[in-house]
Amino acid sequence: MSKKKFSIAVHGGAGTILKKLMNAEKERIYKKALSVSLEVGYDILEEGGSAVDAVEAAVYELENFPLFNAGKGAVFTHDGKHEMDASIMDGKTLKAGAVTCVQRVRNPVVLAREVMEFSEHVLLSGKGAEQFAKVRKIKLENDNYFFTDERFKQLQEVINEEGAHLDHNINVKDKKFGTVGAVALDKNGNLAAATSTGGMTNKRFGRIGDSPIIGSGTYANNKTCAVSCTGHGEFFIRAVVAYDISCLMEYKNMTLKQACKEVVNKKLVKLGGEGGLIAVDKNGNIELAFNSEGMYRGYKTSSGKELIGIYK
Ligand code: ASP
């Protein structure tokens, strides 16, 4: 019997990430976090686990890592709170779950999975999503848990400005979108994708980005591919990025590589949308595409290929 292929990719956000502005220790910590997340997901796939389990577990690890803008490291809103978004999609059943503007949920990706599995809905928001979290006995935290000095400093720098800022865009020297995500193909040929974010620093008025929007920030379909995006959410919503990649493959017979190039390097660039995505197709091919200076990213496949990268 031939060995069944599987693969996984993760990201920790895209943006202006320049080597000259990074120090060796910080780089080591980022790479370590990406590699821990990849290994956790890879082990699940190797043991015959599902793609959905693998992407949830990989994103869970990244949410617990304070340097990424998700879970523990989520950025501050204008009101000094954290409003987190997450989503997950199963390419086999086309079932999906998502949460938006949730405040006290330790791991929003876990709640998104619960929405997919145990509710009749796809997207739950704010207080209602938190009530659902309580019903499902999902772990909640006090605001203190999400407090990090670095994020608080970022908010203070821009709190008197009108607009919201994408993660480290505040400090243009290290402009990046620190959202996290994972995509996977399991041994049974099933695809899945998950994404989680704190959104934008200083955001107001209940702003929601692409990450919890199925079809924009996250999409998975066994017929084509699984996609998780990171970048300037407004543009990713308008370009319906994740679903567009799948459509180009399904209706135009493009390869994953061609579809990613078309959307990330042509359509989004034309719109002015900075960012990137990770994607895997039904044959286990992986694409890590971005039109920004860098993207925290990594992948590992059953055929022995692996990579962890930050810069272009
Ligand atoms: N796409 C996310 C948003 O707009 C931000 C990010 O990727 O970091 O909320």
Side-chain angles (χ1 to χ4, degrees):
M1 208 173 75
S2 71
K3 256 176 93 187
K4 287 183 180 158
K5 281 193 276 192
F6 58 95
S7 42
I8 181 160
V10 298
H11 73 76
T16 311
I17 308 160
L18 301 171
K19 191 167 175 68
K20 59 177 189 216
L21 299 166
M22 180 78 83
N23 65 52
E25 178 57 8
K26 220 172 174 185
E27 190 174 308
R28 192 190 61 76
I29 296 171
Y30 272 115
K31 285 188 169 167
K32 174 87 188 147
L34 290 168
S35 130
V36 166
S37 155
L38 267 181
E39 289 303 329
V40 166
Y42 187 89
D43 288 351
I44 290 174
L45 297 171
E46 190 168 42
E47 283 159 23
S50 73
V52 173
D53 281 345
V55 295
E56 180 189 358
V59 167
Y60 178 93
E61 291 298 325
L62 296 170
E63 284 179 339
N64 292 342
F65 179 69
L67 286 181
F68 292 128
N69 173 19
K72 169 87 181 132
V75 296
F76 281 91
T77 66
H78 182 73
D79 300 328
K81 300 262 187 243
H82 299 91
E83 291 177 356
M84 297 167 287
D85 303 330
S87 62
I88 190 163
M89 184 158 182
D90 179 350
K92 178 185 174 191
T93 57
L94 299 185
K95 281 170 89 178
V99 293
T100 184
C101 295
V102 293
Q103 293 203 342
R104 296 175 46 225
V105 180
R106 184 186 171 104
N107 290 101
V109 73
V110 173
L111 186 56
R113 171 93 187 253
E114 294 281 313
V115 172
M116 175 168 87
E117 307 270 5
F118 301 105
S119 85
E120 52 180 322
H121 309 296
V122 170
L123 176 58
L124 298 183
S125 71
K127 288 270 170 292
E130 277 172 48
Q131 279 164 12
F132 181 70
K134 282 183 194 151
V135 172
R136 296 300 311 164
K137 302 201 167 29
I138 295 295
K139 198 163 176 116
L140 299 178
E141 296 285 352
N142 293 326
D143 287 348
N144 293 348
Y145 170 79
F146 301 98
F147 184 95
T148 59
D149 283 331
E150 192 172 342
R151 297 300 187 202
F152 191 67
K153 230 178 83 209
Q154 285 177 347
L155 175 66
Q156 301 319 309
E157 284 165 23
V158 294
I159 196 157
N160 294 321
E161 293 175 16
E162 265 296 302
H165 293 258
L166 278 148
D167 197 7
H168 289 187
N169 272 21
I170 298 156
N171 173 4
V172 181
K173 283 187 262 150
D174 181 22
K175 186 168 127 189
K176 73 169 180 61
F177 315 106
T179 290
V180 305
V183 294
L185 168 75
D186 67 29
K187 285 184 174 174
N188 294 318
N190 294 317
L191 293 167
T195 310
S196 181
T197 189
M200 297 168 84
T201 298
N202 204 34
K203 67 183 178 181
R204 282 197 261 186
F205 313 126
R207 180 266 181 189
I208 299 167
D210 60 313
S211 309
I213 311 293
I214 297 301
S216 289
T218 304
Y219 190 71
N221 185 337
N222 274 8
K223 274 206 241 173
T224 53
C225 61
V227 182
S228 169
C229 300
T230 171
H232 198 152
E234 279 68 10
F235 294 91
F236 281 68
I237 292 174
R238 288 163 54 203
V240 204
V241 168
Y243 185 57
D244 200 22
I245 302 276
S246 172
C247 286
L248 288 171
M249 295 176 72
E250 185 172 0
Y251 305 130
K252 280 195 136 183
N253 288 317
M254 283 192 185
T255 63
L256 182 67
K257 196 182 210 62
Q258 289 167 335
C260 289
K261 207 165 173 216
E262 179 68 28
V263 176
V264 176
N265 302 107
K266 292 187 189 162
K267 285 189 181 182
L268 273 173
V269 170
K270 217 168 160 190
L271 270 181
E274 187 184 353
L277 57 83
I278 53 171
V280 57
D281 70 14
K282 58 183 181 187
N283 299 314
N285 297 310
I286 297 224
E287 284 298 319
L288 314 168
F290 52 99
N291 61 32
S292 47
E293 288 293 335
M295 180 165 82
Y296 294 102
R297 61 197 187 278
Y299 74 83
K300 188 167 178 180
T301 73
S302 56
S303 55
K305 284 199 228 156
E306 66 181 288
L307 167 130
I308 293 205
I310 299 178
Y311 316 105
K312 221 185 248 174

